Every structure is written in C-alpha cells, then in structure tokens.
C-alpha cells in the first residue's frame, strides 16, 4: 500500500510539473523596487488581519480551524479573519489600496499581476530562502508565480493548484440507461437527452454571470485543440476559426440544455444547481470538489477535457492559489509567519478541504490525494502524451479587470444575442494583443 501511495504522489507531482511548466525592507515605504530583504519586518508577534477573497461557509470554517492551529503554534500572534465573496472582493481590495487601509495577508489567485503592478505586495524571496522553503514547496508552483512578475520575484507564496474540471452525475446516467461520455459530442448529446425543463431538470448548469470567463476559455480551447492563447509574435488566438466554432458550440448549451436564468449564474448558483439536483453537469475547477462530494458522494465524477477529433487533450494550466504579504503591512514578520505556516504545516488539511494539489512536497505524500477521483483524472491526463496545456496570460496586470469588468458584460450580450460570437472573440483578441504589447513595452521581455 505504501509503495502504491508513493507512486500516486509521483504521478501527481509529474502532472503538476507538466501543467505549471508554464524595496527597502518591505517594512518601510512599501516600494517593492528597493529590494526583497526582510530587514525592518520587526518581530513575529501582535495582531494581523487576513482577507480571504474566496469566502463561503465551508471554506471559512476551514480557515477558522487553520487559524486556531496557527495561533496555538504561534501564541504571540493573533489573526483577524475577514471573509470576502469572490464575486466582489476585487473592488474592496482596490478600495483598500487606494485608502492605505490594507490587510496584512491576502489570499490571491489570478489577480496577482495587477497587485504586483500596483506595488501592493512585499517580495518574499529572502523570507522564503531563510525559511528553507526551496526544499519544501513544489518548485513548479513557485516557478509559475515568478512568471507573474516582470522582475521574476516571488510575491505570492503558493498554497495549492487547481485545475478546471467537467463535473457530471453518474446516478442520472444509470437511471436513464446512458453511458458515461468520452467525447464532447457524446457529452453534448447526453446533456440534451437529460434535459426536461417541465420538471426543472437540465443537462448543464451554465455559468453566465460573475466568473464566467475561465469555464469559457477551458471549454472553448478544450474543444478547438488550439494550444496557445498568445503566440510568440504577440497574436491572440481567441478569434481563430477553430475557436469561433468551439465557442459557438459552448454557448449553444445556454438556454437549450440549461435554464434561461443561468444568465446570471455565479459559482454559488452553478454549485447549488448541480449539487441540488436540477442539473446533470457543470464546469468548474477543483475548488468545488468537496461541495460535490458532500452532496453527491460517489455519484459525482470530475473529468479533464475530452480529446478532440485528433485525440489531443487541451487543458488550461492549473491556477495557483496563495498568500501575499501586503507591502504596507506594519506587521510583516507575523504576516509572513502565517503564510509560511499555511504553505507547510497547515497545507495538507487546507488542500484536502478545497480538493486541490498542495504546494507542500510533504503534503503531496498524503493518502487522500490518491483517493480523490478528480485528482486521479488530472494525473492520467498529465501522463497522456497528447495532452497539451494552455497557458493563460495571468501575468498581464489587467488580466483580472479584462475578464471581470469588460468580458463578462459582453459575454452576457452574446448569450442574449445582442452581440455576435465573432464580434466578441474579435474584440477581445485585439484587447489581449494590446495588453500583451503594453506589458512588453513597460515590463520588458
């Protein structure tokens, strides 16, 4: 059993490696250009404020448990928890940066480049080196985080990596006498067969509201097989013919095998629809795994993108979630202690709760990893020589704002047939090309 467990870990690590192969002392002015040292950080004691930017009842409960464990191990430090819903946290963070009333520690996902551009985060390189984290954390996750900054410094300490997943219910298939899909054509046909609006039963819970862009990218590129988001010569691939066709197929799910009300669906609503019994399938990342497991048990399956006609699996590279120490924090030493704890001692428990691959190499040895079906699916996809990983340009400072404030409203216009698919994809291909050119001009290659 132990040998098989270690082999499972090796596979998980290999999959992560494949997918991610993609200041004066911070205690003074907060100007990250002056160095990455820890001088001036003070003593690790006192009260720090931690903002969770993905709060929901289950995760908040896990943070409460983790904070208590941290405070027990560090009795001189108290952590004040502030939970912010993912759909609205960015505005609150930006308001805090504008007023200077910032937290000490922040949970950060793909918006890290924007925060780096604002010099909102303290570089963590020296602190990580002093703590010996080079030998404790997954090197590919750390490397991924360095790619998000033009100076290649570490501004976010990785906690876990989450992949996009297609979720569906096997109990509905058994009841209808249908087989599990192995291709997109079969998936779409099954979703249609299981749709019965008259009894509030739909084949797919469609995300049309906040957070709609990641599943759109994953499904579109997964079907098209296009392996680059921005080519080496700076051309965005979003409006390539293969992507236009795939995008049209994806949005065809809305209003046909999904409810019309899905136009405003966010994370909470698609999870409620799927777990509550009104939808056979949905698309989300590993972050919802524990919700599905609790609600559906062994009846839930999470799979990676289906192979296209050429047998190629195109998956978006996993996103890394982590903790950043704010440059204007007055208690960086204590804030760093909390981040370090969560990436090491507290990492396995946290990662198991969110159902993601842990950053801690020691945590990657945990038996729960090899028993998690969606993680096994990710591992198997990583082993497949025909699997390619789409690297999204999360390093662009305005990546998050483009998705949230620009693309989401236009995407709803497409769903309402007020904007054509071609116009939408063409507009944002140009938008990303412009953002890429500006990045290279100001940040250097």
């Amino acid at each position: 059993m132990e040998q098989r467990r270690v082999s499972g870990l090796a596979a998980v690590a290999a999959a992560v490696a494949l997918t991610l192969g993609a200041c004066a002392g911070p205690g003074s002015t907060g100007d990250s250009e002056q160095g990455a040292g820890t001088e001036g950080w003070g003593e690790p004691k006192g009260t720090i404020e931690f903002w969770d930017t993905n709060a929901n009842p289950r995760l908040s409960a896990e943070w409460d448990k983790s904070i208590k464990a941290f405070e027990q191990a560090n009795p001189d430090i108290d952590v004040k928890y502030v939970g912010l819903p993912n759909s609205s946290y960015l505005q609150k963070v930006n308001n805090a940066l504008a007023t200077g009333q910032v937290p000490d520690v922040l949970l950060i996902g793909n918006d890290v480049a924007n925060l780096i551009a604002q010099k909102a985060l303290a570089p963590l390189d020296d602190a990580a080196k002093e703590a010996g984290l080079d030998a404790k954390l997954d090197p590919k996750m750390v490397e991924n985080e360095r790619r998000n900054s033009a100076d290649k410094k570490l501004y976010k300490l990785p906690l876990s990596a989450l992949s996009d997943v297609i979720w569906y219910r096997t109990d509905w298939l058994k009841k209808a006498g249908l087989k599990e899909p192995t291709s997109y054509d079969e998936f779409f046909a099954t979703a249609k067969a299981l749709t019965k609006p008259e009894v509030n039963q739909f084949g797919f819970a469609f995300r049309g509201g906040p957070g709609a862009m990641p599943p759109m990218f994953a499904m579109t590129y997964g079907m098209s097989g296009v392996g680059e988001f921005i080519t080496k010569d700076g051309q965005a691939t979003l409006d390539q013919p293969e992507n236009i066709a795939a995008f049209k197929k994806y949005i065809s799910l809305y209003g046909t095998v999904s409810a019309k009300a899905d136009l405003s669906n966010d994370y909470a609503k698609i999870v409620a629809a799927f777990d509550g019994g009104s939808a056979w399938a949905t698309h989300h990342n590993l972050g919802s795994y524990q919700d599905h497991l609790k609600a559906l048990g062994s009846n839930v399956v999470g799979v990676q993108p289906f192979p296209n006609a050429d047998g190629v699996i195109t998956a978006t590279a996993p996103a890394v979630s982590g903790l950043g120490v704010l440059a204007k924090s007055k208690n960086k030493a204590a804030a760093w202690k909390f981040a370090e704890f969560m990436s090491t001692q507290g990492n396995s428990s946290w990662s198991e709760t969110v159902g993601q691959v842990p950053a801690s190499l020691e945590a990657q040895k945990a038996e729960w990893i090899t028993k998690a079906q969606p993680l096994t699916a990710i591992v198997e996809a990583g082993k497949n020589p025909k699997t390619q990983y789409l690297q999204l340009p999360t390093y662009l400072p305005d990546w998050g704002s483009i998705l949230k404030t620009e693309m989401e409203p236009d995407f709803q216009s497409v769903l309402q047939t007020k904007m054509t698919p071609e116009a939408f994809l063409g507009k944002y291909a140009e938008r990303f090309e412009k953002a890429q050119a500006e990045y290279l001009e100001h940040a250097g290659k």
Side-chain angles (χ1 to χ4, degrees), residues 213 216-217 220-221 226 228-231 233-244 247 393 395-396 398-399 402-403 406-407 410 414 419-438:
M213 293 304 96
M216 184 277 285
F217 290 139
T220 296
Y221 280 85
V226 175
E228 291 181 292
F229 194 88
I230 297 178
T231 64
D233 60 357
Q235 299 299 302
T237 62
L238 200 56
D239 61 346
Q240 286 188 356
E242 301 93 333
N243 277 331
I244 292 174
F247 178 71
Y395 54 82
L396 295 175
D398 44 2
W399 169 256
I402 293 174
L403 268 59
E406 299 178 41
M407 294 189 78
D410 280 347
V414 173
M419 186 177 192
T420 68
E422 290 86 354
F424 175 79
L425 296 178
K427 175 180 179 178
Y428 287 101
E430 291 182 3
R431 180 70 177 89
F432 284 116
E433 288 172 2
K434 179 182 177 182
Q436 174 76 0
E438 290 175 347

Side-chain angles (χ1 to χ4, degrees), residues 282-435:
T282 194
H283 188 286
H284 191 247
N285 56 50
L286 282 173
S288 56
Y289 175 46
Q290 292 299 333
D291 288 318
H292 304 328
L293 196 62
K294 183 178 180 180
L296 306 174
S298 61
N299 291 319
V300 64
V301 167
V303 299
Q304 287 289 276
F306 299 109
N308 67 5
D310 297 322
V312 176
I313 296 173
T314 304
T316 49
V320 174
S321 177
L323 296 177
V325 175
L326 277 293
K328 291 186 178 180
S329 166
K330 294 180 173 59
N331 201 351
K332 292 185 180 64
W336 165 255
K337 269 291 185 184
F338 179 62
E340 179 190 1
F341 176 88
M342 289 305 304
S343 71
T344 52
Q345 297 102 301
N347 197 236
S348 182
S349 177
W350 164 254
S351 299
E352 183 175 11
T353 296
V354 296
Q356 300 171 18
V357 178
S360 164
L361 295 175
E362 183 63 30
Q364 288 181 1
K365 300 174 184 178
E367 187 174 4
W368 65 265
I369 291 180
T370 57
K371 290 184 176 181
Q373 179 274 322
L375 286 180
T376 301
I378 293 169
V379 169
E380 291 304 313
K383 292 178 181 177
N384 191 324
K386 287 193 173 183
T387 296
Q388 60 179 352
Y389 291 93
L390 179 74
Q391 297 287 340
L392 297 174
T394 57
Y395 54 82
L396 295 175
D398 44 2
W399 169 256
S401 62
I402 293 174
L403 268 59
K404 295 177 187 296
T405 64
E406 299 178 41
M407 294 189 78
E408 285 181 4
D410 280 347
F411 183 63
Q412 290 192 330
S413 294
V414 173
L415 298 179
Q416 295 172 306
T417 67
K418 296 177 181 178
M419 186 177 192
T420 68
E422 290 86 354
F424 175 79
L425 296 178
K427 175 180 179 178
Y428 287 101
E430 291 182 3
R431 180 70 177 89
F432 284 116
E433 288 172 2
K434 179 182 177 182

Side-chain angles (χ1 to χ4, degrees), residues 50-51 63 105-108 124 155-159 321-325 338-340 342-343:
F50 162 56
W51 283 12
W63 276 118
V105 189
L106 185 69
L107 179 67
I108 310 171
L124 304 175
Y155 291 92
K156 182 176 81 180
L157 198 61
L159 293 185
S321 177
L323 296 177
V325 175
F338 179 62
E340 179 190 1
M342 289 305 304
S343 71

Side-chain angles (χ1 to χ4, degrees), residues 98-360:
T99 62
Q101 302 300 311
V102 299
D104 299 282
V105 189
L106 185 69
L107 179 67
I108 310 171
N110 279 340
D111 293 312
V112 66
N114 175 268
L115 296 171
I116 293 171
Q118 296 185 66
K119 299 181 181 178
L121 303 174
L124 304 175
D125 303 79
D126 284 4
K129 183 177 181 180
E130 291 166 9
L133 295 189
D134 286 348
K136 296 178 181 179
L137 300 184
D138 188 308
K140 291 299 179 182
M141 292 194 200
V142 175
E143 179 184 347
N144 182 77
E145 287 314 302
R146 294 191 185 281
R147 287 199 188 99
N148 283 322
S149 59
D151 59 13
K152 305 307 176 188
K153 291 178 182 176
L154 183 67
Y155 291 92
K156 182 176 81 180
L157 198 61
L159 293 185
S160 56
L162 67 162
S163 297
D164 288 305
V165 177
I166 299 170
W167 304 98
Y168 61 80
R169 298 182 55 156
T170 56
D171 53 339
W172 283 31
L173 298 177
K174 292 175 183 177
K175 185 177 179 179
L178 299 172
K179 295 181 180 180
E180 294 190 33
T182 59
S183 69
Y184 282 105
D185 286 342
E186 291 179 4
F187 178 81
F188 277 70
T190 301
K192 182 178 180 180
L194 292 173
T195 297
K196 299 177 181 179
E198 65 276 8
V199 293
N200 195 39
Q201 177 178 307
F202 297 93
F204 193 77
F206 193 96
R207 189 164 186 171
M213 293 304 96
M216 184 277 285
F217 290 139
M219 289 289 282
T220 296
Y221 280 85
M223 287 187 284
S224 73
V226 175
E228 291 181 292
F229 194 88
I230 297 178
T231 64
K232 292 180 180 179
D233 60 357
Q235 299 299 302
T237 62
L238 200 56
D239 61 346
Q240 286 188 356
E242 301 93 333
N243 277 331
I244 292 174
F247 178 71
K248 288 181 176 179
K249 186 170 184 177
Y250 172 58
I251 62 174
S252 74
L253 292 168
Y254 172 69
T256 57
V257 299
S258 84
K260 287 286 187 180
D262 286 4
L263 180 70
S264 61
N265 269 2
D266 59 7
Y267 159 77
K269 289 178 181 176
I270 60 170
V271 170
F274 181 64
D275 293 346
S278 61
W280 166 65
T282 194
H283 188 286
H284 191 247
N285 56 50
L286 282 173
S288 56
Y289 175 46
Q290 292 299 333
D291 288 318
H292 304 328
L293 196 62
K294 183 178 180 180
L296 306 174
S298 61
N299 291 319
V300 64
V301 167
V303 299
Q304 287 289 276
F306 299 109
N308 67 5
D310 297 322
V312 176
I313 296 173
T314 304
T316 49
V320 174
S321 177
L323 296 177
V325 175
L326 277 293
K328 291 186 178 180
S329 166
K330 294 180 173 59
N331 201 351
K332 292 185 180 64
W336 165 255
K337 269 291 185 184
F338 179 62
E340 179 190 1
F341 176 88
M342 289 305 304
S343 71
T344 52
Q345 297 102 301
N347 197 236
S348 182
S349 177
W350 164 254
S351 299
E352 183 175 11
T353 296
V354 296
Q356 300 171 18
V357 178
S360 164

